[in-house]
Amino acid sequence: MVVVHMDVRTGQRLHAIIVSGTMLLGFLFYFFYRPHFNPVIASTLPNWLLGSAPSFIFILMMTSLSTLCLGNSAKKSIFIPLGWLSFLSVFELFQTQSGSLLYRGTFDFNDLYAACLAAVIALFLLTFVSSTAIKPNRRWSVLPISLFAFSTLLGSGFQEPCDKDNDKISKECIKPVVLPWQELRKEITSDLSGNELLKRSGKIYVLDSWLFVVEKYRGIHIFDMSDKLNPLRLVYIPIAGALDLTIKNSILYSSAFTDLVMIDLDTLFQSSGVELVMSRQEDVFSYPSRTQFYPELYWMDYSKITSQSEGIVIGYETVSGKKILYGDEYDLYAEEKDRENNDDTVLCFVSVWLC
């Protein structure tokens, strides 16, 4: 291994540049990542970069900042990056639980991977590049520490539109609607009422005189096509997360988000849809993206974010309390604009009455 030696002043200058550079990168990333600053760029970046880059930047910044303040030696070159890695790892693990301090955070293994990669780079930097002992230097530490203090104060004083301590929650704030696992995997009962309308048709499958139509993410409609000019719906099978289906040997196979649902069609047809014999195989498919049913360019109420162990996010709820599920088309802006107009009308009447 080639070790690059440099004098003390050069090492101090290097770490001061790293701190300032990573801090500037953090500022730029924050402005591009946060939807209220630049939603267009934020929506085009991959999720792994949006979620994990802050951890990577944090480890490099804090390692160099600590080196400037504490100096560098054989022991410190190992202790400093590993210490910050341990701190971030513990902080990340805390985010698997809900709480007032970390209610915005969500646990992600990619954050740990990014932090470990940054720690390896920091170890290499301290051990093989700036291996010469670095003494604490106030001159080179003033600017990075000042920037760090300023950014900390700025971040602590900033309130997002969905912060529960805000005087007024922004109309762009939405809450996730979660389908608990026990609700997803409860016993399925066939619906013979005929009240369920086919609104969002998906995959279509024909078997003899039967027509199967997927109601996206909601269930499967089965029609009797003996009279093609007058199709009759036999039964509706509510299956949360239904998106695809196939039939083999009189067994209907349907996706149900992460699960695979199997239904015996012979029993179903012989009983005219009354008797439903089914089985479920859990965790066959990958966990769906949490953001697939969110509208773009709107804020998320992080206090309502749930972990993957609690259920699947199936939609969102507006400030006015309206729930939009499974990606249904909805003019959220117009609805919230009407709510604002109604509030203004009420305020106008109240003002006139007081006068």
Side-chain angles (χ1 to χ4, degrees):
M1 178 64 69
V2 178
V3 178
V4 180
H5 295 282
M6 60 180 63
D7 57 45
V8 174
R9 290 181 58 85
T10 304
Q12 292 170 342
R13 189 180 297 110
L14 171 65
H15 287 283
I17 292 174
I18 292 175
V19 175
S20 302
T22 51
M23 198 169 300
L24 177 61
L25 180 62
F27 275 123
L28 294 176
F29 183 84
Y30 181 87
F31 291 136
F32 287 136
Y33 165 67
R34 294 294 184 181
H36 58 289
F37 285 115
N38 200 322
V40 176
I41 296 181
S43 62
T44 58
L45 293 178
N47 291 332
W48 63 266
L49 177 59
L50 293 178
S52 303
S55 298
F56 182 86
I57 296 172
F58 174 81
I59 294 296
L60 289 181
M61 179 184 69
M62 296 308 298
T63 297
S64 292
L65 182 60
S66 300
T67 302
L68 279 176
C69 298
L70 303 177
N72 184 27
S73 63
K75 292 183 179 180
K76 291 178 181 178
S77 63
I78 298 177
F79 172 78
I80 290 176
L82 293 184
W84 283 115
L85 175 62
S86 301
F87 172 81
L88 186 142
S89 300
V90 172
F91 190 85
E92 185 70 24
L93 291 174
F94 276 146
Q95 295 179 354
T96 59
Q97 306 294 328
S98 59
S100 58
L101 179 61
L102 301 175
Y103 73 95
R104 300 178 189 171
T106 53
F107 175 78
D108 189 349
F109 276 111
N110 289 329
D111 291 351
L112 297 179
Y113 299 150
C116 289
L117 176 61
V120 171
I121 295 176
L123 280 170
F124 174 81
L125 180 67
L126 293 178
T127 305
F128 300 107
V129 176
S130 59
S131 56
T132 303
I134 299 177
K135 298 179 180 179
N137 186 290
R138 294 181 180 179
R139 177 185 175 187
W140 290 108
S141 303
V142 170
L143 178 60
I145 293 177
S146 300
L147 288 174
F148 181 75
F150 173 76
S151 61
T152 302
L153 290 174
L154 183 64
S156 62
F158 179 75
Q159 284 189 317
E160 296 181 352
C162 294
D163 282 349
K164 58 183 179 180
D165 295 329
N166 266 356
D167 295 332
K168 181 180 179 181
I169 301 296
S170 171
K171 67 179 184 298
E172 288 85 8
C173 180
I174 58 175
K175 301 176 183 178
V177 176
V178 178
L179 179 67
W181 289 112
Q182 61 269 24
E183 184 72 15
L184 170 65
R185 292 166 175 167
K186 70 178 183 180
E187 183 178 354
I188 298 175
T189 304
S190 57
D191 184 352
L192 302 174
S193 65
N195 295 327
E196 290 293 334
L197 300 178
L198 181 55
K199 298 178 180 179
R200 299 184 64 210
S201 61
K203 186 172 182 178
I204 297 176
Y205 196 102
V206 178
L207 176 66
D208 298 330
S209 61
W210 305 102
L211 175 66
F212 302 80
V213 182
V214 173
E215 177 86 16
K216 288 184 178 180
Y217 301 108
R218 286 179 169 86
I220 299 175
H221 299 263
I222 303 179
F223 295 88
D224 182 356
M225 299 292 292
S226 299
D227 184 357
K228 295 183 179 180
L229 297 179
N230 187 29
L232 299 175
R233 181 165 60 180
L234 171 66
V235 63
Y236 170 69
I237 306 175
I239 303 176
L243 198 60
D244 196 5
L245 71 84
T246 188
I247 299 174
K248 185 176 183 180
N249 298 328
S250 297
I251 302 296
L252 184 151
Y253 299 87
S254 172
S255 59
F257 284 123
T258 59
D259 300 347
L260 176 65
V261 172
M262 294 153 282
I263 298 175
D264 185 354
L265 293 180
D266 287 339
T267 303
L268 186 71
F269 292 151
Q270 290 171 7
S271 65
S272 298
V274 175
E275 187 176 353
L276 184 64
V277 177
M278 61 152 292
S279 61
R280 178 187 295 268
Q281 188 172 350
E282 299 178 359
D283 301 322
V284 174
F285 306 108
S286 59
Y287 186 83
S289 171
R290 301 173 59 146
T291 60
Q292 64 175 332
F293 300 128
Y294 290 174
E296 295 183 357
L297 313 185
Y298 277 79
W299 290 80
M300 173 54 58
D301 184 353
Y302 291 98
S303 64
K304 302 298 181 182
I305 288 269
T306 55
S307 64
Q308 179 174 328
S309 62
E310 296 181 25
I312 293 178
V313 177
I314 60 173
Y316 64 93
E317 180 180 350
T318 68
V319 174
S320 59
K322 188 174 183 62
K323 293 184 179 180
I324 313 300
L325 305 180
Y326 302 118
D328 287 347
E329 293 184 3
Y330 179 70
D331 193 342
L332 178 58
Y333 177 78
E335 193 267 346
E336 295 297 347
K337 191 67 176 178
D338 290 341
R339 181 180 64 87
E340 280 189 343
N341 292 336
N342 292 335
D343 292 342
D344 293 341
T345 302
V346 173
L347 180 60
C348 179
F349 279 119
V350 172
S351 300
V352 171
W353 182 83
L354 289 177
C355 294

